[in-house]
Amino acid sequence: MGSTLGVAVVGFGWMGRVHTQAYARVPHHFPGLSVRPELIAVADEVPGRAEEAAARYGFATAARDWREIAADPRVQAVSVAAPNFLHREIGVAMAEAGKHLWIEKPVGLTAEDARAVAGAVAKAGVQGTVGFNYRNAPAVAAARELIASGEIGTVTHVRIRLFSDYAAHPEGALTWRYERERGGSGVLGDLASHGVDLARFLLGEIASLTADTAVFVPERARPTGATAGHARSSGGKLGPVENEDYVSCLLRFASGARGVLEACRVSVGEQNNYGFEIHGTKGAVSWDFRRMGELGVSRGTSFQDQPVSTLYVGPGHGEYAAFQPGSANSMGYDDLKVVEAYNFLRSIDEGTPYGATLDDAVHSATALDAMARSAEHGGWVSPGD
């Protein structure tokens, strides 16, 4: 059976629920893992939400204040799925309390916030995993192997897109997500952070970039009560949307490759249209999250008029074999978070980082800060500046 590890979840909106379900599923998909998560505590400031979560999922304790979890000796690892503006305070406190940390991106509002959490994790000697789940898709793992093997030649250029309509409705409530002080950089932190992580995971470091941003829905109605997810609110007092609905960015990679990253949260007609197209001197590879188990691949020696074939991922790609026995069986979003939970628990068990780390979060946040500077002042910016 192995040893048990007391885990807690802070923030029980949709993402807190996804983390909880991932903990529950890990032993079924990864029976060889020698540590087993035990649901000890859940915290959420919304009245009744933590108690409901405890009753539904079997947490031993429910709390309104996350500080109770930091002080609970039964808890050894914590998922932080609270709003962005709380990430730094909670993340640093949990690390200082000796808790291993699985924290959602973008790990605060700025690169400074991400560095603070990363520094606390390193100082405490605990493990830290970050919620860059799209890199866990077996097709993305297959794409990375194809690129690294040279099968598409030297990468020349890439296009990464993250389009969604979750904020497209004009009656979408003016929640913390749209405030600079609590939500940070809007679609940059929410979607573009994933794009930066995919870019680095597949192609290496970003040397410089130039960006443009826009707000397309400038006002929204303030909610009259507690909200979860992307709720609507009509009739309330209107307030300004302070952060970005849209970003477009040109990238120059350290390898010499060029790229385009585009993200939008108000794209009518687009639901989770996330993916990439990567071109090399001998071929190309493409992926669409909505067809998660398929990879478009062009390779060979034709160069001109070279066909594209569909690769259906299977047990030899990433962690696919933990979920399905044969190629072309579907996986879903929640499965990617199970892989993430596995990497987190394995990191704790073995004392070696697996999957996306706080260092990856710092690199992503640094690039996002550079995008914001470029959009404000114009010109090319190095993320290292």
Side-chain angles (χ1 to χ4, degrees):
M1 285 291 293
S3 60
T4 59
L5 183 84
V7 301
V9 176
V10 176
F12 212 82
W14 169 62
M15 189 54 66
R17 175 168 52 83
V18 172
H19 276 232
T20 301
Q21 292 170 168
Y23 282 130
R25 291 178 58 195
V26 160
H28 303 288
H29 293 282
F30 298 95
L33 187 65
S34 61
V35 62
R36 294 289 185 270
E38 180 182 0
L39 300 178
I40 297 296
V42 57
D44 195 291
E45 65 178 9
V46 176
R49 187 180 285 176
E51 289 78 9
E52 180 182 350
R56 181 175 180 182
Y57 292 100
F59 288 97
T61 302
R64 289 279 300 277
D65 192 338
W66 58 264
R67 294 170 185 82
E68 293 182 30
I69 288 178
D72 192 335
R74 299 172 300 169
V75 175
Q76 298 159 281
V78 178
S79 281
V80 177
N84 296 348
F85 68 96
L86 295 172
H87 284 192
R88 176 173 180 168
E89 182 183 9
I90 297 174
V92 169
M94 294 301 175
E96 289 178 346
K99 319 292 189 188
H100 302 286
L101 194 64
W102 178 11
I103 187 167
E104 276 304 314
K105 37 60 62 183
V107 190
L109 306 181
T110 63
E112 182 183 353
D113 286 349
R115 290 190 193 99
V117 178
V121 165
K123 184 177 180 180
V126 296
Q127 295 295 322
T129 293
V130 179
F132 290 128
N133 45 270
Y134 297 108
R135 65 157 62 189
N136 297 327
V140 175
R144 191 183 194 209
E145 291 176 5
L146 273 171
I147 294 165
S149 70
E151 290 214 37
I152 66 168
T154 300
V155 172
T156 54
H157 59 103
V158 57
R159 184 168 74 95
I160 299 172
R161 69 187 185 282
L162 298 107
F163 299 147
S164 186
D165 64 357
Y166 68 78
H169 202 291
E171 293 183 359
L174 187 68
T175 64
W176 61 268
R177 293 180 181 277
Y178 304 101
E179 299 174 6
R180 187 71 68 179
E181 184 177 348
R182 296 195 297 165
S185 57
V187 77
L188 274 74
D190 193 19
L191 295 182
S193 58
H194 283 296
V196 172
D197 185 66
L198 283 172
R200 292 185 59 249
F201 184 69
L202 293 167
L203 302 177
E205 298 303 333
I206 297 168
S208 60
L209 57 84
T210 184
D212 183 36
T213 61
V215 177
F216 296 136
V217 183
E219 289 186 320
R220 296 180 183 274
R222 299 187 185 279
T224 56
T227 61
H230 306 290
R232 294 183 190 176
S233 179
S234 60
K237 184 178 179 180
L238 293 177
V241 172
E242 299 173 351
N243 53 28
E244 306 85 354
D245 287 330
Y246 171 85
V247 61
S248 61
C249 184
L250 298 179
L251 305 169
R252 292 173 178 166
F253 291 87
S255 66
R258 298 298 195 261
V260 177
L261 190 159
E262 194 176 13
C264 185
R265 65 188 181 186
V266 296
S267 297
V268 176
E270 302 285 7
Q271 297 86 39
N272 299 321
N273 182 358
Y274 309 152
F276 55 76
E277 296 90 38
I278 299 171
H279 296 267
T281 53
K282 297 194 300 182
V285 59
S286 61
W287 179 68
D288 186 330
F289 168 67
R290 298 165 301 178
R291 303 174 71 94
M292 193 167 71
E294 301 178 17
L295 197 64
V297 180
S298 178
R299 51 187 167 185
T301 57
S302 300
F303 297 99
Q304 187 178 2
D305 298 326
Q306 185 164 285
V308 178
S309 61
T310 300
L311 169 67
Y312 294 100
V313 296
H317 302 119
E319 299 293 349
Y320 183 95
F323 299 88
Q324 300 293 347
S327 299
N329 284 297
S330 298
M331 288 178 60
Y333 176 91
D334 285 17
D335 295 330
L336 304 185
K337 302 304 279 190
V338 174
V339 175
E340 205 165 277
Y342 167 65
N343 285 330
F344 178 47
L345 297 171
R346 186 183 176 195
S347 299
I348 296 169
D349 187 38
E350 299 182 18
T352 301
Y354 291 96
T357 66
L358 267 301
D359 182 63
D360 294 310
V362 169
H363 276 87
S364 177
T366 300
L368 299 181
D369 281 4
M371 290 181 197
R373 294 199 308 274
S374 176
E376 182 178 2
H377 302 296
W380 286 86
V381 176
S382 170
D385 292 345

